[in-house]
Amino acid sequence: MRGRLIFKFLAEIYRLDTLSTAATDPDGSGPLTGGYDPDFKESVLVDTNNDGIGERVRREHPPVRVPCQVDTKAFEELRMLGSGNSPKSRIDLIFHFMDLERLGLMDAVSGDALLRPGDRLGGIYDLYGDKVQDIQTPPGLYVVESRPIGFGLNLSKPSRNLLLVTFEDRPTGSRRHA
């Protein structure tokens, strides 16, 4: 007995494809040779539409919809910066390891869940596939923490059952320091 989720929804997850991002040549014949900055180990920014704002070079796996419970901590909460408003959002989703196993979202060697920091939340859907909550990107909501929180209800054969995944926004403005 491993328990079950209650009040289920489906989370649309876009997992970061680190190998494809690293292999991407973001500026063609320019000086960049990969999708990651060699010093900061972050995906590089390239202005692809000549608007003066760099777009993040990022490759993702195809989206997957995973059953979950939703706990909204903050959604577009007002956060004023020197350069304007940068809404703050944080959503915790709880996944069951049985669903992750069924969907192939477990590492076969380590047994760890494949929902990791950098993965993006695309939206939340009801069980019929109708969108309940859209997540605008940018700024987007990205995994900042993924940790097991439940280790089963069966005393004779205990096992993990729940994974807590926290998604947060990335500030879009610059902070002004006094």
Side-chain angles (χ1 to χ4, degrees), residues 21-39 42-48 55-57:
T21 301
T24 299
D25 184 1
D27 62 350
S29 61
L32 298 174
T33 58
Y36 287 109
D37 183 283
D39 296 321
E42 282 282 328
S43 56
V44 296
L45 298 173
V46 177
D47 185 4
T48 57
E55 288 77 37
R56 193 162 296 280
V57 173

Side-chain angles (χ1 to χ4, degrees), residues 99-174:
D99 294 319
L100 299 175
E101 292 161 1
R102 179 178 51 80
L103 293 168
L105 294 173
M106 299 291 295
D107 185 293
V109 175
S110 69
D112 292 336
L114 294 177
L115 301 180
R116 297 192 170 136
D119 293 348
R120 182 172 64 86
L121 179 61
I124 298 173
Y125 296 79
D126 65 20
L127 296 179
Y128 300 104
D130 296 325
K131 189 175 282 189
V132 173
Q133 181 65 57
D134 188 34
I135 305 299
Q136 294 295 316
T137 303
L141 293 177
Y142 298 86
V143 174
V144 295
E145 180 182 26
S146 178
R147 67 182 165 100
I149 59 169
F151 285 85
L153 304 172
N154 186 343
L155 295 178
S156 64
K157 187 178 181 227
S159 62
R160 299 180 300 181
N161 63 347
L162 299 177
L163 180 74
L164 173 69
V165 179
T166 301
F167 293 84
E168 290 185 355
D169 64 285
R170 294 181 175 165
T172 55
S174 62

Side-chain angles (χ1 to χ4, degrees), residues 19-95:
L19 296 176
S20 291
T21 301
T24 299
D25 184 1
D27 62 350
S29 61
L32 298 174
T33 58
Y36 287 109
D37 183 283
D39 296 321
F40 297 107
K41 309 302 184 217
E42 282 282 328
S43 56
V44 296
L45 298 173
V46 177
D47 185 4
T48 57
N49 57 6
N50 295 319
D51 65 354
I53 299 171
E55 288 77 37
R56 193 162 296 280
V57 173
R58 176 186 171 91
R59 300 295 176 259
E60 298 173 329
H61 292 285
V64 61
R65 290 190 182 171
V66 186
C68 68
Q69 289 175 206
V70 180
D71 184 12
T72 304
K73 299 295 185 187
F75 197 77
E76 295 189 0
E77 177 182 300
L78 181 64
R79 177 173 51 189
M80 292 300 294
L81 304 176
S83 60
N85 181 28
S86 181
K88 177 182 177 181
S89 296
R90 177 183 168 147
I91 295 178
D92 288 342
L93 299 181
I94 299 170
F95 300 95

